[in-house]
Amino acid sequence: MLLSIQDLKVSFRMGKVDGVQQRADAVRGVSFDIPENSIVALVGESGSGKSVTAMSMLNLLPDNAERAGKVLWNGRDLLQATLPELQALRGKEIACVFQDPMSSLNPVFTVGAQLAEPLMKHLGLGRAAAMKRAEALLGEVGIPEPARRMGTYPHEMSGGQQQRVMIAMALACEPKLLIADEPTTALDVTIQRQILELIGKLKDTHRMSVLFISHDLGVVGEIADHVVVMRHGEIREQGPVARIFSAPQDSYTKALLACRPSLEGNPARLMVIDDHIAQQGGAAASTAQAVAKDPDAPVVLEVRSLAKSFWLKQGLFGKREFKAVQGVDFKLRKGHTLGVVGESGSGKTTMGLTLLRLHEPTGGEVLFDGKNLLKLSDHDRQLMRRRIQIVFQNPYASLNPRFTIGQTLVEPMQIHAIGASLAEREQRARTLLEKVGLDGRAFGKYPHEFSGGQRQRIAIARCLTLNPEVLVLDEAVSALDVSVQAQVLNLLKDLQDEFGLAYVFISHDLAVVRFISDEVLVMKDGVVVEQASAQEILAAPKQDYTRRLLAAIPRGYRAAA
């Protein structure tokens, strides 16, 4: 056995109350094994203890963490290892790949320099030999033109390429165990498919083991040999991947399998984890299907030939035009949702930002309430902006960490003179927090005190303070757990039904788009390659590109078998 975790317990000291030390238990008696040359998946929602369990192995935890139990690495207990012993293991025998490569890669060093560093540190290679090996690693993980990419900085690469660089760094010293912590969560489906295939191929090539951490059983089913399901710091179920998918025993495992949006059927609401568990306990399940929208609803937003170009430096004095968005046309009706799908770099987000003039357009028209938004004066644009709002992908970056939630919600109302007094604005903010499923206690708290799903609800509430008619949702649920994702999607549908909101819903996830959208635009290289109802796109896609997007969607063990 390569690694054996036995009765692992992890708690965090949280300060003293009345002289008594407070502790939060994150992991409660976890035990599982990782055999040689195998992939073990650790699955569960945020807060289940997955990452804490993995980081405990090499003691990559904050100073207030306390660990107990055993982590046996080739028979040696890592919980008793000294810091120099752990430093010798890290990167050489046990390597890690994290969810967000941009927070793991150093922005001021080239990719080549960062790849060469562990080779020189752990293997004692000279700089020239390390750079040569680093170039070979880039080629091994599928980076095109590896020699040229050696001098590239992380920000000059796409998310998928950054993740490949992280995998190359992890593999530099040919470790025996790779810990992959949510390595595909925020990637589009085709890049996700490539990363999963890459990890599987490298596992076979290097005969290493992988601890693959994820919240998505659909992804896990395509890569794992053994699955460990965690919730609230405890293991709920574990076993071979075939058994977990064909005959799950625990109600939580069944709920995880069932709560993701499906490409078949279109329910009126998604069931969340607790709904599924209640259903298995005897509660009645909702079988209501989504109701078709009014095809003759008034048009609230019309886009004609929208275009956006960026000018890039070429040579010493030259520059070239990069056409990020070209000739986009669509109509958005009141109470309807337009889904916009495509790979990273397809122009989805640029199109959404250009609609709002967060990027200045290079051509086209955006007609809203009879006016072209792209020609408005700054004053008129400010007045119009309250009626078209945006929710960004990353709820951790879109909320001001120095503002309480109350201040975050009140500020836009003050700017746009909504409400007669501060008391009236604060009351409206509290009402909206309740509307998005948060109680009044959230009003005085700061963003860091909330989970990702709660922060995204707060971002939606902030948009609603201005009574908008159109919301642009840019990958607003892509980084959320499947259960939290279901809650936010249900919330968006409820708000749409109540307020008649129209959505431009940008996503790389066709299953999510199927659930929430009435019409779909498929974008590639800045151009709309296909446009039809959500049902038509999924049932009979006309373009090879759309078919490739559909084929790349993880569908779990049974589809992969």
Side-chain angles (χ1 to χ4, degrees):
M1 192 61 61
L2 184 66
L3 184 138
S4 179
I5 294 179
Q6 299 176 5
D7 196 30
L8 177 67
K9 299 182 179 71
V10 182
S11 61
F12 294 92
R13 296 186 302 276
M14 305 298 288
K16 294 184 178 181
V17 176
D18 297 329
V20 179
Q21 180 70 59
Q22 302 296 304
R23 285 177 172 80
D25 295 330
V27 177
R28 303 181 177 96
V30 164
S31 300
F32 64 90
D33 297 329
I34 302 178
E36 293 184 356
N37 193 29
S38 68
I39 298 180
V40 175
L42 205 52
V43 185
E45 300 169 277
S46 291
S48 63
K50 309 185 301 294
S51 295
V52 172
T53 298
M55 295 305 105
S56 295
M57 298 177 192
L58 295 172
N59 198 18
L60 296 173
L61 294 174
D63 292 338
N64 65 331
E66 296 179 347
R67 303 176 298 162
K70 291 183 178 181
V71 177
L72 300 179
W73 172 255
N74 290 323
R76 180 170 52 143
D77 188 0
L78 296 185
L79 297 194
Q80 305 304 319
T82 63
L83 181 58
E85 289 174 333
L86 289 175
Q87 288 174 334
L89 277 176
R90 293 169 184 167
K92 186 176 182 182
E93 294 189 46
I94 304 177
C96 300
V97 176
F98 299 104
Q99 177 175 347
D100 181 7
M102 272 308 285
S103 66
S104 304
L105 294 171
N106 193 320
V108 301
F109 289 109
T110 64
V111 164
Q114 293 183 66
L115 275 169
E117 182 183 15
L119 294 166
M120 292 187 287
K121 178 178 175 62
H122 290 295
L123 301 185
L125 296 184
R127 179 168 178 78
M131 294 298 275
K132 185 176 180 180
R133 174 63 182 142
E135 183 181 329
L137 282 166
L138 284 181
E140 189 175 354
V141 297
I143 297 285
E145 301 180 84
R148 182 176 68 84
R149 288 296 192 176
M150 288 285 289
T152 299
Y153 288 89
H155 73 272
E156 298 177 287
M157 308 181 91
S158 69
Q161 289 172 329
Q162 291 167 4
Q163 198 62 286
R164 286 170 184 267
V165 170
M166 282 298 303
I167 292 172
M169 289 176 66
L171 294 175
C173 300
E174 299 191 1
K176 296 175 184 175
L177 175 63
L178 176 67
I179 299 173
D181 189 1
E182 301 272 13
T184 65
T185 295
L187 302 180
D188 64 56
V189 287
T190 52
I191 302 299
Q192 181 184 68
R193 167 73 59 183
Q194 292 169 19
I195 296 296
L196 291 177
E197 290 175 351
L198 173 64
I199 290 174
K201 183 186 78 172
L202 294 172
K203 170 249 183 185
D204 293 335
T205 303
H206 295 272
R207 295 194 60 78
M208 67 179 180
S209 294
V210 180
L211 178 61
F212 189 91
I213 301 170
S214 179
H215 62 254
D216 191 338
L217 272 167
V219 170
V220 162
E222 302 207 352
I223 193 172
D225 303 308
H226 189 88
V227 179
V228 180
V229 181
M230 290 187 67
R231 192 185 198 198
H232 302 326
E234 299 175 341
I235 291 179
R236 298 292 294 260
E237 183 171 4
Q238 62 176 304
V241 65
R243 203 271 297 160
I244 292 290
F245 274 78
S246 62
Q249 303 299 306
D250 189 79
S251 59
Y252 179 65
T253 309
K254 296 175 184 177
L256 275 179
L257 285 165
C259 73
R260 196 177 187 281
S262 170
L263 291 172
E264 290 80 36
N266 197 17
R269 296 181 66 78
L270 294 171
M271 294 181 72
V272 298
I273 296 288
D274 291 338
D275 292 337
H276 282 286
I277 292 175
Q279 177 186 331
Q280 292 162 43
S286 172
T287 57
Q289 294 293 299
V291 178
K293 304 284 181 63
D294 177 10
D296 299 318
V299 174
V300 292
L301 190 70
E302 183 175 357
V303 173
R304 300 175 183 169
S305 303
L306 185 66
K308 172 60 182 175
S309 293
F310 296 96
W311 293 94
L312 307 177
K313 285 184 68 175
Q314 189 169 38
L316 192 58
F317 300 109
K319 60 180 180 178
R320 63 183 177 86
E321 183 182 13
F322 170 65
K323 296 181 178 180
V325 176
Q326 305 176 59
V328 172
D329 299 279
F330 65 81
K331 292 180 180 179
L332 179 62
R333 297 181 181 274
K334 181 180 175 67
H336 284 228
T337 300
L338 175 76
V340 184
V341 298
E343 298 171 288
S344 295
S346 62
K348 310 184 302 294
T349 294
T350 301
M351 186 273 289
L353 296 176
T354 305
L355 285 178
L356 301 169
R357 280 182 70 183
L358 296 175
H359 285 322
E360 284 299 327
T362 49
E365 295 180 309
V366 178
L367 301 176
F368 179 72
D369 199 19
K371 299 176 181 177
N372 183 2
L373 297 183
L374 308 185
K375 301 294 185 183
L376 294 179
S377 65
D378 289 344
H379 177 263
D380 290 340
R381 181 174 54 172
Q382 182 80 344
L383 294 176
M384 196 65 74
R385 185 162 281 171
R386 60 172 282 188
R387 300 171 64 187
I388 305 180
Q389 286 288 299
I390 186 167
V391 179
F392 295 100
Q393 174 177 353
N394 187 351
Y396 294 88
S398 59
L399 298 176
N400 191 327
R402 293 187 177 88
F403 278 19
T404 65
I405 303 309
Q407 290 172 310
T408 296
L409 268 59
V410 167
E411 183 189 38
M413 291 188 276
Q414 291 175 324
I415 292 172
H416 291 278
I418 293 174
S421 64
L422 177 61
E424 185 177 325
R425 291 170 186 141
E426 288 184 350
Q427 181 55 48
R428 175 170 168 76
R430 293 178 189 275
T431 301
L432 286 171
L433 284 174
E434 292 176 6
K435 186 80 68 182
V436 299
L438 295 171
D439 59 34
R441 290 175 296 178
F443 191 84
K445 293 183 177 180
Y446 288 86
H448 72 270
E449 299 179 76
F450 296 90
S451 69
Q454 290 171 323
R455 293 188 203 200
Q456 201 62 290
R457 290 166 178 264
I458 292 164
I460 293 169
R462 178 176 58 184
C463 291
L464 296 178
T465 59
L466 301 178
N467 295 320
E469 296 162 50
V470 177
L471 280 187
V472 176
L473 298 132
D474 184 15
E475 300 278 13
V477 299
S478 66
L480 303 180
D481 289 347
V482 285
S483 185
V484 176
Q485 181 184 80
Q487 294 170 20
V488 173
L489 290 171
N490 287 337
L491 169 65
L492 290 171
K493 277 208 166 185
D494 291 342
L495 294 172
Q496 189 171 59
D497 293 340
E498 182 175 352
F499 299 113
L501 296 171
Y503 298 145
V504 177
F505 190 89
I506 299 167
S507 178
H508 61 254
D509 190 330
L510 279 162
V512 169
V513 166
R514 160 68 185 261
F515 170 72
I516 200 166
S517 301
D518 305 293
E519 188 177 2
V520 176
L521 297 183
V522 181
M523 292 189 69
K524 182 178 188 294
D525 299 329
V527 177
V528 175
V529 296
E530 191 161 356
Q531 182 172 354
S533 71
Q535 190 169 353
E536 288 175 43
I537 288 279
L538 292 166
K542 295 182 173 59
Q543 298 293 321
D544 287 340
Y545 177 69
T546 311
R547 287 192 281 270
R548 288 203 306 275
L549 287 179
L550 284 166
I553 296 172
R555 298 166 193 257
Y557 174 78
R558 282 166 287 187

